[in-house]
Amino acid sequence: MPLADRLVAAAYSVGWAVVRYVPERLAAWFFQVLADWLWLRRGKSVRRLESNLARVVGGDAGDRAVRELSRAGMRSYFRYWMESFRFAAYTRERILDGTRATGGEHIFDNLARGRGVVVALPHMGNYDLAGAWLVHMGHRFTTVAERLKPESLFERFVDYRERLGMEVLPLTAKGGGSAMAFGTLAKRLREGKTVCLPAERDLTASGVEVDFFGARTRMAAGPAALAVQTGAALLAAVLWFEGDGWGIRIHEEIPVPAEGTREEKVGVMTQAVAAVFEKGIAEHPEDWHMLQRLWLDDLEPRGGAQS
């Protein structure tokens, strides 16, 4: 294993082993200081976050308001990591009492009728905690995880999320290529269970092109395709931090269009998911943790410039 990979794996291992034993106020202070330090350095990830946020608020990446928003965004992002490392210290009561969820009936009513549910999520707030909330409400679910390097880090993330009550499927096979996750997800939905999938960033280069904050991007086709194929309800949700707690809003079902090819139906439904994400991100831009390229016109830097 390369030295860099070993160092990354060791850093995460220390985080999971140590941070949960540190008083929460001290841990929160430390992670905020770390976020501010990285924000001040304005490295590649921070500049990308600012570029993405500029599209959300309609400004320029160099604007003072965007710069301040990116600082709040980095603090939010590092709060996610602090909470992830401390998760073992959170009780069921803390999670349920600290979560303000609206629209949960869109999930629960469908499940009560024996109908599967696909929940599409952006990378906002603390999506692991939102998953734990759903589990503590009595509904375990299945999700997928991007394969990370080194492999030991990926396995640690899978173990962490499975301990929260999730069934985690790898997005790709260990040696590359398809892991056949789609078939397993479809099976779970036909069994009347829940599938939760990150959806605003296509990780397979085979996603659906949508309009998003005035420009084109690709979003994952999986949530809509699963709903079309299995008859499951497709719901889009947004997440944010709310004081010391967490906010979740599950929107109404996105219906399958009555006409069109399968591909056309998936496209219409994915655009509807994008519209929900747009509204939620615009309301809570600081809690959108998108530190990677997203829009198509950002994928190939113009003039060879890197960012």
Side-chain angles (χ1 to χ4, degrees):
M1 182 191 303
L3 176 60
D5 287 350
R6 292 202 301 271
L7 291 174
V8 168
Y12 280 100
S13 295
V14 169
W16 268 301
V18 174
V19 176
R20 61 177 167 167
Y21 297 111
V22 175
E24 187 164 2
R25 286 182 179 273
L26 180 59
W29 171 82
F30 174 78
F31 276 81
Q32 181 173 301
V33 168
L34 183 57
D36 286 349
W37 178 70
L38 290 172
W39 175 78
L40 284 169
R41 292 186 64 205
R42 204 164 181 261
K44 179 180 177 181
S45 294
V46 173
R47 296 197 310 273
R48 176 48 52 193
L49 176 62
E50 289 173 354
S51 177
N52 291 338
L53 290 173
R55 290 186 185 265
V56 172
V57 300
D60 182 85
D63 292 347
R64 179 171 182 154
V66 173
R67 182 80 173 124
E68 287 301 317
L69 183 57
S70 74
R71 182 178 190 173
M74 289 298 290
R75 287 182 171 184
S76 174
Y77 181 55
F78 274 78
R79 173 177 168 175
Y80 162 78
W81 283 112
M82 185 273 291
E83 291 180 348
S84 296
F85 291 142
R86 283 187 53 80
F87 210 95
Y90 292 162
T91 65
R92 178 179 185 273
E93 291 71 26
R94 165 77 186 278
I95 294 169
L96 292 179
D97 292 344
T99 300
R100 185 172 71 87
T102 57
E105 68 275 8
H106 300 311
I107 297 176
F108 308 138
D109 290 352
N110 277 292
L111 295 177
R113 296 196 299 269
R115 186 185 183 202
V117 173
V118 186
V119 183
L121 301 158
H123 290 82
M124 288 184 73
N126 192 329
Y127 30 89
D128 291 328
L129 185 134
W133 168 81
L134 185 58
V135 170
H136 288 316
M137 291 296 290
H139 301 285
R140 294 170 67 91
F141 64 93
T142 304
T143 188
V144 297
E146 181 182 6
R147 192 172 291 279
L148 304 172
K149 292 183 179 180
E151 184 72 15
S152 61
L153 179 59
F154 170 73
E155 292 171 352
R156 185 67 185 262
F157 265 104
V158 169
D159 179 69
Y160 159 64
R161 286 173 174 152
E162 287 181 341
R163 287 175 182 271
L164 299 182
M166 311 176 193
E167 178 188 22
V168 183
L169 307 176
L171 183 66
T172 56
K174 188 171 183 178
S178 173
M180 304 304 292
F182 189 90
T184 302
L185 296 173
K187 182 175 184 292
R188 297 292 180 269
L189 292 169
R190 291 192 179 101
E191 293 168 348
K193 298 178 180 179
T194 305
V195 166
C196 297
L197 298 172
E200 92 278 34
R201 181 167 174 255
D202 174 43
L203 296 172
T204 66
S206 61
V208 177
E209 281 199 24
V210 297
D211 290 315
F212 194 54
F213 289 105
R216 300 292 284 177
T217 187
R218 279 194 298 267
M219 290 194 176
L226 284 164
V228 170
Q229 180 162 319
T230 68
L234 174 60
L235 309 175
V238 292
L239 317 169
W240 63 93
F241 291 119
E242 192 167 278
D244 293 332
W246 310 273
I248 305 172
R249 183 178 179 188
I250 301 102
H251 288 250
E252 294 181 356
E253 179 181 348
I254 296 171
V256 177
E259 299 180 354
T261 65
R262 181 178 185 275
E263 183 178 74
E264 289 168 343
K265 292 176 180 179
V266 169
V268 170
M269 296 169 75
T270 304
Q271 182 64 68
V273 170
V276 172
F277 289 174
E278 238 183 21
K279 185 175 186 297
I281 292 168
E283 291 173 349
H284 305 279
E286 70 280 3
D287 291 325
W288 186 42
H289 306 152
M290 185 50 60
L291 281 69
Q292 301 86 22
R293 298 180 187 277
L294 184 68
W295 282 271
L296 299 184
D297 57 9
D298 288 335
L299 295 181
E300 292 186 9
R302 296 170 184 171
Q306 300 294 321
S307 62

PDB file of all heavy atoms in Angstrom, residues 240-256:
ATOM      1  N   TRP A 240     -30.008  19.259   6.544  1.00  0.00           N
ATOM      2  CA  TRP A 240     -29.223  20.407   6.969  1.00  0.00           C
ATOM      3  C   TRP A 240     -28.959  20.297   8.469  1.00  0.00           C
ATOM      4  O   TRP A 240     -29.566  19.482   9.168  1.00  0.00           O
ATOM      5  CB  TRP A 240     -29.948  21.718   6.640  1.00  0.00           C
ATOM      6  CG  TRP A 240     -31.263  21.905   7.335  1.00  0.00           C
ATOM      7  CD1 TRP A 240     -31.504  22.544   8.528  1.00  0.00           C
ATOM      8  CD2 TRP A 240     -32.552  21.438   6.887  1.00  0.00           C
ATOM      9  NE1 TRP A 240     -32.838  22.497   8.847  1.00  0.00           N
ATOM     10  CE2 TRP A 240     -33.502  21.841   7.850  1.00  0.00           C
ATOM     11  CE3 TRP A 240     -32.981  20.726   5.759  1.00  0.00           C
ATOM     12  CZ2 TRP A 240     -34.860  21.536   7.732  1.00  0.00           C
ATOM     13  CZ3 TRP A 240     -34.333  20.436   5.636  1.00  0.00           C
ATOM     14  CH2 TRP A 240     -35.262  20.840   6.603  1.00  0.00           C
ATOM     15  N   PHE A 241     -28.035  21.131   8.940  1.00  0.00           N
ATOM     16  CA  PHE A 241     -27.780  21.225  10.371  1.00  0.00           C
ATOM     17  C   PHE A 241     -28.681  22.311  10.953  1.00  0.00           C
ATOM     18  O   PHE A 241     -28.867  23.369  10.340  1.00  0.00           O
ATOM     19  CB  PHE A 241     -26.317  21.569  10.648  1.00  0.00           C
ATOM     20  CG  PHE A 241     -25.366  20.457  10.309  1.00  0.00           C
ATOM     21  CD1 PHE A 241     -24.374  20.625   9.353  1.00  0.00           C
ATOM     22  CD2 PHE A 241     -25.450  19.242  10.962  1.00  0.00           C
ATOM     23  CE1 PHE A 241     -23.491  19.602   9.054  1.00  0.00           C
ATOM     24  CE2 PHE A 241     -24.572  18.206  10.666  1.00  0.00           C
ATOM     25  CZ  PHE A 241     -23.593  18.392   9.709  1.00  0.00           C
ATOM     26  N   GLU A 242     -29.229  22.056  12.128  1.00  0.00           N
ATOM     27  CA  GLU A 242     -30.149  22.992  12.772  1.00  0.00           C
ATOM     28  C   GLU A 242     -29.754  23.138  14.227  1.00  0.00           C
ATOM     29  O   GLU A 242     -30.121  22.307  15.072  1.00  0.00           O
ATOM     30  CB  GLU A 242     -31.580  22.462  12.631  1.00  0.00           C
ATOM     31  CG  GLU A 242     -32.647  23.472  12.995  1.00  0.00           C
ATOM     32  CD  GLU A 242     -34.018  23.018  12.535  1.00  0.00           C
ATOM     33  OE1 GLU A 242     -34.362  23.209  11.349  1.00  0.00           O
ATOM     34  OE2 GLU A 242     -34.749  22.474  13.384  1.00  0.00           O
ATOM     35  N   GLY A 243     -28.972  24.188  14.535  1.00  0.00           N
ATOM     36  CA  GLY A 243     -28.456  24.341  15.885  1.00  0.00           C
ATOM     37  C   GLY A 243     -27.567  23.162  16.230  1.00  0.00           C
ATOM     38  O   GLY A 243     -26.664  22.805  15.465  1.00  0.00           O
ATOM     39  N   ASP A 244     -27.825  22.541  17.381  1.00  0.00           N
ATOM     40  CA  ASP A 244     -27.081  21.344  17.772  1.00  0.00           C
ATOM     41  C   ASP A 244     -27.700  20.078  17.189  1.00  0.00           C
ATOM     42  O   ASP A 244     -27.206  18.974  17.443  1.00  0.00           O
ATOM     43  CB  ASP A 244     -27.038  21.222  19.306  1.00  0.00           C
ATOM     44  CG  ASP A 244     -26.204  22.333  19.937  1.00  0.00           C
ATOM     45  OD1 ASP A 244     -25.283  22.832  19.260  1.00  0.00           O
ATOM     46  OD2 ASP A 244     -26.492  22.700  21.092  1.00  0.00           O
ATOM     47  N   GLY A 245     -28.781  20.244  16.425  1.00  0.00           N
ATOM     48  CA  GLY A 245     -29.477  19.096  15.871  1.00  0.00           C
ATOM     49  C   GLY A 245     -29.452  19.073  14.355  1.00  0.00           C
ATOM     50  O   GLY A 245     -28.576  19.672  13.719  1.00  0.00           O
ATOM     51  N   TRP A 246     -30.455  18.407  13.796  1.00  0.00           N
ATOM     52  CA  TRP A 246     -30.435  18.115  12.363  1.00  0.00           C
ATOM     53  C   TRP A 246     -31.833  18.256  11.775  1.00  0.00           C
ATOM     54  O   TRP A 246     -32.832  17.935  12.422  1.00  0.00           O
ATOM     55  CB  TRP A 246     -29.948  16.679  12.157  1.00  0.00           C
ATOM     56  CG  TRP A 246     -28.682  16.392  12.899  1.00  0.00           C
ATOM     57  CD1 TRP A 246     -27.409  16.605  12.447  1.00  0.00           C
ATOM     58  CD2 TRP A 246     -28.541  15.864  14.218  1.00  0.00           C
ATOM     59  NE1 TRP A 246     -26.498  16.240  13.405  1.00  0.00           N
ATOM     60  CE2 TRP A 246     -27.158  15.778  14.507  1.00  0.00           C
ATOM     61  CE3 TRP A 246     -29.458  15.440  15.189  1.00  0.00           C
ATOM     62  CZ2 TRP A 246     -26.671  15.296  15.716  1.00  0.00           C
ATOM     63  CZ3 TRP A 246     -28.978  14.968  16.403  1.00  0.00           C
ATOM     64  CH2 TRP A 246     -27.592  14.892  16.650  1.00  0.00           C
ATOM     65  N   GLY A 247     -31.890  18.746  10.541  1.00  0.00           N
ATOM     66  CA  GLY A 247     -33.154  18.887   9.841  1.00  0.00           C
ATOM     67  C   GLY A 247     -33.231  17.943   8.653  1.00  0.00           C
ATOM     68  O   GLY A 247     -32.234  17.729   7.953  1.00  0.00           O
ATOM     69  N   ILE A 248     -34.412  17.380   8.431  1.00  0.00           N
ATOM     70  CA  ILE A 248     -34.670  16.504   7.297  1.00  0.00           C
ATOM     71  C   ILE A 248     -36.026  16.894   6.717  1.00  0.00           C
ATOM     72  O   ILE A 248     -36.998  17.065   7.462  1.00  0.00           O
ATOM     73  CB  ILE A 248     -34.731  15.012   7.703  1.00  0.00           C
ATOM     74  CG1 ILE A 248     -33.474  14.581   8.441  1.00  0.00           C
ATOM     75  CG2 ILE A 248     -34.984  14.128   6.485  1.00  0.00           C
ATOM     76  CD1 ILE A 248     -33.580  13.169   9.037  1.00  0.00           C
ATOM     77  N   ARG A 249     -36.083  17.029   5.408  1.00  0.00           N
ATOM     78  CA  ARG A 249     -37.372  17.213   4.760  1.00  0.00           C
ATOM     79  C   ARG A 249     -37.501  16.209   3.627  1.00  0.00           C
ATOM     80  O   ARG A 249     -36.686  16.203   2.701  1.00  0.00           O
ATOM     81  CB  ARG A 249     -37.554  18.626   4.223  1.00  0.00           C
ATOM     82  CG  ARG A 249     -38.952  18.805   3.605  1.00  0.00           C
ATOM     83  CD  ARG A 249     -39.202  20.194   3.098  1.00  0.00           C
ATOM     84  NE  ARG A 249     -40.537  20.288   2.510  1.00  0.00           N
ATOM     85  CZ  ARG A 249     -40.998  21.335   1.847  1.00  0.00           C
ATOM     86  NH1 ARG A 249     -40.244  22.415   1.716  1.00  0.00           N
ATOM     87  NH2 ARG A 249     -42.206  21.327   1.330  1.00  0.00           N
ATOM     88  N   ILE A 250     -38.521  15.347   3.712  1.00  0.00           N
ATOM     89  CA  ILE A 250     -38.797  14.381   2.660  1.00  0.00           C
ATOM     90  C   ILE A 250     -39.963  14.919   1.835  1.00  0.00           C
ATOM     91  O   ILE A 250     -41.051  15.179   2.369  1.00  0.00           O
ATOM     92  CB  ILE A 250     -39.150  12.993   3.233  1.00  0.00           C
ATOM     93  CG1 ILE A 250     -37.996  12.457   4.090  1.00  0.00           C
ATOM     94  CG2 ILE A 250     -39.453  12.015   2.102  1.00  0.00           C
ATOM     95  CD1 ILE A 250     -38.211  12.587   5.564  1.00  0.00           C
ATOM     96  N   HIS A 251     -39.728  15.109   0.559  1.00  0.00           N
ATOM     97  CA  HIS A 251     -40.747  15.692  -0.308  1.00  0.00           C
ATOM     98  C   HIS A 251     -41.723  14.624  -0.821  1.00  0.00           C
ATOM     99  O   HIS A 251     -41.485  13.422  -0.701  1.00  0.00           O
ATOM    100  CB  HIS A 251     -40.078  16.413  -1.478  1.00  0.00           C
ATOM    101  CG  HIS A 251     -39.404  17.685  -1.075  1.00  0.00           C
ATOM    102  ND1 HIS A 251     -39.875  18.932  -1.426  1.00  0.00           N
ATOM    103  CD2 HIS A 251     -38.300  17.915  -0.331  1.00  0.00           C
ATOM    104  CE1 HIS A 251     -39.089  19.862  -0.926  1.00  0.00           C
ATOM    105  NE2 HIS A 251     -38.118  19.270  -0.259  1.00  0.00           N
ATOM    106  N   GLU A 252     -42.804  15.101  -1.394  1.00  0.00           N
ATOM    107  CA  GLU A 252     -43.827  14.207  -1.920  1.00  0.00           C
ATOM    108  C   GLU A 252     -43.274  13.349  -3.061  1.00  0.00           C
ATOM    109  O   GLU A 252     -42.278  13.697  -3.703  1.00  0.00           O
ATOM    110  CB  GLU A 252     -45.025  15.011  -2.411  1.00  0.00           C
ATOM    111  CG  GLU A 252     -45.763  15.742  -1.299  1.00  0.00           C
ATOM    112  CD  GLU A 252     -46.961  16.504  -1.825  1.00  0.00           C
ATOM    113  OE1 GLU A 252     -47.164  16.513  -3.068  1.00  0.00           O
ATOM    114  OE2 GLU A 252     -47.694  17.094  -1.012  1.00  0.00           O
ATOM    115  N   GLU A 253     -43.971  12.252  -3.316  1.00  0.00           N
ATOM    116  CA  GLU A 253     -43.537  11.312  -4.346  1.00  0.00           C
ATOM    117  C   GLU A 253     -43.434  11.970  -5.722  1.00  0.00           C
ATOM    118  O   GLU A 253     -44.280  12.791  -6.096  1.00  0.00           O
ATOM    119  CB  GLU A 253     -44.513  10.137  -4.421  1.00  0.00           C
ATOM    120  CG  GLU A 253     -44.141   9.107  -5.488  1.00  0.00           C
ATOM    121  CD  GLU A 253     -45.121   7.952  -5.586  1.00  0.00           C
ATOM    122  OE1 GLU A 253     -45.972   7.825  -4.683  1.00  0.00           O
ATOM    123  OE2 GLU A 253     -45.011   7.180  -6.556  1.00  0.00           O
ATOM    124  N   ILE A 254     -42.384  11.620  -6.428  1.00  0.00           N
ATOM    125  CA  ILE A 254     -42.214  12.021  -7.824  1.00  0.00           C
ATOM    126  C   ILE A 254     -42.810  10.900  -8.676  1.00  0.00           C
ATOM    127  O   ILE A 254     -42.266   9.791  -8.701  1.00  0.00           O
ATOM    128  CB  ILE A 254     -40.730  12.237  -8.158  1.00  0.00           C
ATOM    129  CG1 ILE A 254     -40.191  13.419  -7.331  1.00  0.00           C
ATOM    130  CG2 ILE A 254     -40.537  12.476  -9.655  1.00  0.00           C
ATOM    131  CD1 ILE A 254     -38.693  13.589  -7.403  1.00  0.00           C
ATOM    132  N   PRO A 255     -43.931  11.150  -9.358  1.00  0.00           N
ATOM    133  CA  PRO A 255     -44.615  10.064 -10.072  1.00  0.00           C
ATOM    134  C   PRO A 255     -43.897   9.670 -11.357  1.00  0.00           C
ATOM    135  O   PRO A 255     -43.149  10.460 -11.945  1.00  0.00           O
ATOM    136  CB  PRO A 255     -45.985  10.658 -10.376  1.00  0.00           C
ATOM    137  CG  PRO A 255     -45.730  12.134 -10.464  1.00  0.00           C
ATOM    138  CD  PRO A 255     -44.653  12.426  -9.457  1.00  0.00           C
ATOM    139  N   VAL A 256     -44.141   8.444 -11.786  1.00  0.00           N
ATOM    140  CA  VAL A 256     -43.636   7.977 -13.072  1.00  0.00           C
ATOM    141  C   VAL A 256     -44.520   8.570 -14.165  1.00  0.00           C
ATOM    142  O   VAL A 256     -45.755   8.443 -14.093  1.00  0.00           O
ATOM    143  CB  VAL A 256     -43.666   6.436 -13.152  1.00  0.00           C
ATOM    144  CG1 VAL A 256     -43.196   5.966 -14.527  1.00  0.00           C
ATOM    145  CG2 VAL A 256     -42.803   5.830 -12.053  1.00  0.00           C
TER     146      VAL A 256
END
